Amino acid sequence: MGEERRGYLYGLTAYVLWGFFPIYFKLLKPSPPLEILAHRIVWSVVFVGLLLAAARNWRFVGRLIRDRRLLGGVTLAALLIGVNWATYIYGVNSSRVVETALGYFITPLVVVLLGVTVQRERLRVWQWVAVGIGGVAVGVLTVDYGRLPYVALVLAATFGSYSLVKKRLSLPPAEGLLVESSVLVLPALAYLWWLNGDAQFGHVSAWHTALMVLSGVATAVPLMLFAGAANRVPLVGLGILQYVAPILQLACGVLIFHEPMPAPRLVGFALVWTALVIFTVDGLRRARTGAGKTVAGSAAATAEPATALPPR
């Protein structure tokens, strides 16, 4: 098997795993979202720490801790991904899986807007068209929900911002995840200590306890698969693969959890998909012409689900 084909296999596996995350996090009920989040952070630190210990790869972590600028960036990334994880878990366990899928569908458009506002990049005409259609879609969905789809918007904003920070930091995946989780681990442990007798962990079933512990593995494994893909697959290929996860999440919400998909909501999603088709086709056309760096390329490059970072 060639390296590029192997990379696509790694990437597809990572996105499929992220796509079925709603099923996993549904199984963690009746634990409340914050308890699930705290355990996810703690067990991520334990699992990735063991991996790095086995590889004896602590040199980078030491350098990162000594670099104040880098440590500040990692702290910001940790706060963003912490809010993203908490929002995702809340969305899944409050029967808003469809809305969480929407969040990851519109994330590429948010990354484009961040490129304009923060990176001061210039959009091409078709990118503006895609962003405009995305804005109309959010308006349609707001009318349908009777409120802003705030779960989707928070997911897109936090993950888009996280992607931008990660792009600037250029951290190795495992080491970056360890330090990001370590930033959050003390508040997570403090929260679990505060829960004390009210915690569900260890009191529901052996299966529930095992799944809570394995949340660290579930967080780290897709990330490392994605890292393997990123080293072998062109950015355009990764940009297309990123849509696998929200498509599967949407399928989980509608087909497995039977969340409603009325006609106005379907119209809103159709507009989002139209925007993504325009966005992707424009990026592919631009890549084929061999043009220089573009905002579309930046969006594909920063579409890393940290955990994916994910979603999740």
Side-chain angles (χ1 to χ4, degrees), residues 23-255:
I23 298 174
Y24 187 93
F25 285 108
K26 282 277 191 182
L27 293 173
L28 299 184
K29 294 179 72 175
S31 291
L34 285 181
E35 183 182 355
I36 296 171
L37 174 64
H39 277 282
R40 184 178 187 182
I41 292 168
V42 170
W43 296 113
S44 293
V45 170
V46 171
F47 178 68
V48 180
L50 290 173
L51 284 181
L52 292 180
R56 299 181 180 179
N57 190 18
W58 295 102
R59 186 175 302 173
F60 176 83
V61 176
R63 181 174 70 81
L64 190 153
I65 293 173
R66 291 191 297 270
D67 188 329
R68 290 187 178 181
R69 184 196 65 83
L70 201 55
L71 188 59
V74 170
T75 301
L76 176 59
L79 294 174
L80 288 168
I81 201 61
V83 173
N84 183 274
W85 285 355
T87 305
Y88 182 78
I89 294 168
Y90 166 76
V92 168
N93 285 344
S94 60
S95 299
R96 295 179 183 178
V97 174
V98 169
E99 194 174 341
T100 65
L102 173 65
Y104 291 109
F105 274 125
I106 65 177
T107 294
L109 303 178
V110 171
V111 172
V112 166
L113 288 176
L114 288 172
V116 174
T117 57
V118 179
Q119 302 281 70
R120 300 193 179 278
E121 296 172 337
R122 298 179 61 183
L123 294 187
R124 299 188 297 276
V125 172
W126 285 110
Q127 289 176 321
W128 277 118
V129 171
V131 170
I133 294 174
V136 172
V138 171
V140 170
L141 290 166
T142 298
V143 172
D144 173 60
Y145 282 114
R147 56 170 174 79
L148 277 172
Y150 61 87
V151 168
L153 294 176
V154 170
L155 286 174
T158 53
F159 191 68
S161 301
Y162 173 80
S163 298
L164 179 63
V165 172
K166 291 282 283 185
K167 183 174 185 291
R168 289 183 167 182
L169 293 175
S170 299
L171 299 176
E175 291 85 343
L177 177 60
L178 175 66
V179 178
E180 289 166 16
S181 300
S182 297
V183 169
L184 302 172
V185 76
L186 287 180
L189 288 171
Y191 176 75
L192 293 175
W193 177 82
W194 177 77
L195 276 180
N196 199 8
D198 294 328
Q200 298 296 318
F201 179 73
H203 299 287
V204 177
S205 66
W207 174 243
H208 178 268
T209 301
L211 287 175
M212 290 283 271
V213 172
L214 290 172
S215 62
V217 178
T219 297
V221 168
L223 173 64
M224 290 185 288
L225 286 168
F226 178 84
N231 291 332
R232 296 171 172 86
V233 176
L235 292 179
V236 172
L238 287 177
I240 294 173
L241 279 177
Q242 70 178 313
Y243 301 128
V244 170
I247 288 172
L248 291 175
Q249 290 170 5
L250 178 63
C252 286
V254 175
L255 301 178

Side-chain angles (χ1 to χ4, degrees), residues 245-269:
I247 288 172
L248 291 175
Q249 290 170 5
L250 178 63
C252 286
V254 175
L255 301 178
I256 297 178
F257 303 125
H258 306 293
E259 294 185 14
M261 180 61 82
R265 194 167 304 171
L266 190 58
V267 169
F269 270 86

